[in-house]
Amino acid sequence: GAVVSQHPSWVICKSGTSVKIECRSLDFQATTMFWYRQFPKQSLMLMATSNEGSKATYEQGVEKDKFLINHASLTLSTLTVTSAHPEDSSFYICSARDVRGTEAFFGQGTRLTVV
Amino acid sequence: SQQGEEDPQALSIQEGENATMNCSYKTSINNLQWYRQNSGRGLVHLILIRSNEREKHSGRLRVTLDTSKKSSSLLITASRAADTASYFCATDRGSTLGRLYFGRGTQLTVWP
């Protein structure tokens, strides 16, 4: 199956700093990628849809200035958590949709801890 | 959850028993998918069932879909300790864009 790689797999940062998470489709092109967040023992919540070459579409209640998304190429989307706070600590997962199909493939996730 | 609910929220069984998890949703869908997640890790896609399908099998997995009741079930037969994980259903809410909306999930524990 198609491979989606996230980097880093985990990160610890200080409050007030920004953290960038990368999502790459390794063996296919993805015009659309998706970012999800998962708090401990909870479900995955769709945060935003990342569209190559255009602005991301955010779900209701997600602060676009807080979670900056850039989808500069057909194989890379980045999520930047700006001015991170402890409440931003979470598991962030991306998925990427092959341009030729309908299935979206998930990355392995990034665990962010803000101290 | 963004879409619906799974029940039970937690299920504890012995190896060899069958595990049944249910999922309800609120909107029209094109398809419904089930995923598995081991503790703190990424998602593993298990099975996709389209809105015009009623039942689908994959190995020890059996998924049913009742669009009139807006519900689905996942049955794992002859469970193993390695099946211990969280199981989530996800729907597309009728969109073809690839967005998925997940249920709350069922934490399955299979005791050896």
Side-chain angles (χ1 to χ4, degrees):
Chain A
V3 179
V4 175
S5 176
Q6 262 185 258
H7 178 81
S9 55
W10 61 271
V11 58
I12 302 172
C13 72
K14 293 184 178 179
S15 283
T17 61
S18 295
V19 174
K20 180 184 287 188
I21 302 169
E22 293 185 347
C23 179
R24 291 181 185 273
S25 56
L26 297 186
D27 51 1
F28 66 98
Q29 294 185 324
T31 53
T32 308
M33 292 185 176
F34 307 92
W35 288 95
Y36 298 83
R37 181 168 63 180
Q38 183 182 33
F39 292 110
K41 298 189 185 301
Q42 294 189 26
S43 186
L44 284 82
M45 301 286 287
L46 177 65
M47 298 175 66
T49 302
S50 171
N51 304 298
E52 187 266 337
S54 65
K55 291 184 178 180
T57 305
Y58 291 81
E59 294 296 302
Q60 192 173 8
V62 178
E63 301 174 59
K64 60 182 179 182
D65 295 330
K66 172 78 172 175
F67 299 100
L68 300 179
I69 291 172
N70 184 282
H71 194 154
S73 78
L74 285 172
T75 58
L76 174 64
S77 174
T78 60
L79 169 69
T80 300
V81 182
T82 63
S83 187
H85 289 103
E87 56 265 32
D88 297 324
S89 298
S90 187
F91 193 57
Y92 293 87
I93 309 177
C94 72
S95 71
R97 186 185 182 195
D98 192 323
V99 296
R100 300 166 299 176
T102 57
E103 186 176 353
F105 302 94
F106 282 84
Q108 74 273 31
T110 297
R111 184 160 303 283
L112 169 64
T113 303
V114 185
V115 297
Chain B
S1 67
Q2 282 187 313
Q3 173 63 345
E5 305 289 336
E6 275 98 326
D7 76 272
Q9 292 186 29
L11 180 61
S12 186
I13 59 175
Q14 293 289 132
E15 264 192 332
E17 294 180 343
N18 295 340
T20 300
M21 290 161 268
N22 302 296
C23 165
S24 62
Y25 55 93
K26 300 175 182 176
T27 68
S28 62
I29 62 171
N30 293 310
N31 58 61
L32 183 145
Q33 302 183 61
W34 283 91
Y35 287 86
R36 167 196 167 121
Q37 183 182 37
N38 287 357
S39 180
R41 301 197 174 188
L43 294 177
V44 175
H45 183 259
L46 295 177
I47 199 164
L48 178 152
I49 186 166
R50 303 190 189 283
S51 60
N52 61 355
E53 297 176 310
R54 291 296 166 258
E55 187 171 312
K56 204 162 183 179
H57 297 253
S58 176
R60 292 185 296 115
L61 306 180
R62 172 178 168 246
V63 168
T64 63
L65 178 64
D66 186 335
T67 53
S68 66
K69 296 181 179 178
K70 290 186 167 56
S71 68
S72 174
S73 69
L74 170 67
L75 168 67
I76 304 175
T77 60
S79 63
R80 305 166 182 168
D83 294 329
T84 295
S86 291
Y87 292 82
F88 297 93
C89 70
T91 72
D92 52 31
R93 285 189 183 172
S95 169
T96 58
L97 298 177
R99 298 186 182 106
L100 291 177
Y101 298 89
F102 286 80
R104 188 185 298 178
T106 294
Q107 171 60 51
L108 173 66
T109 303
V110 182
W111 298 99

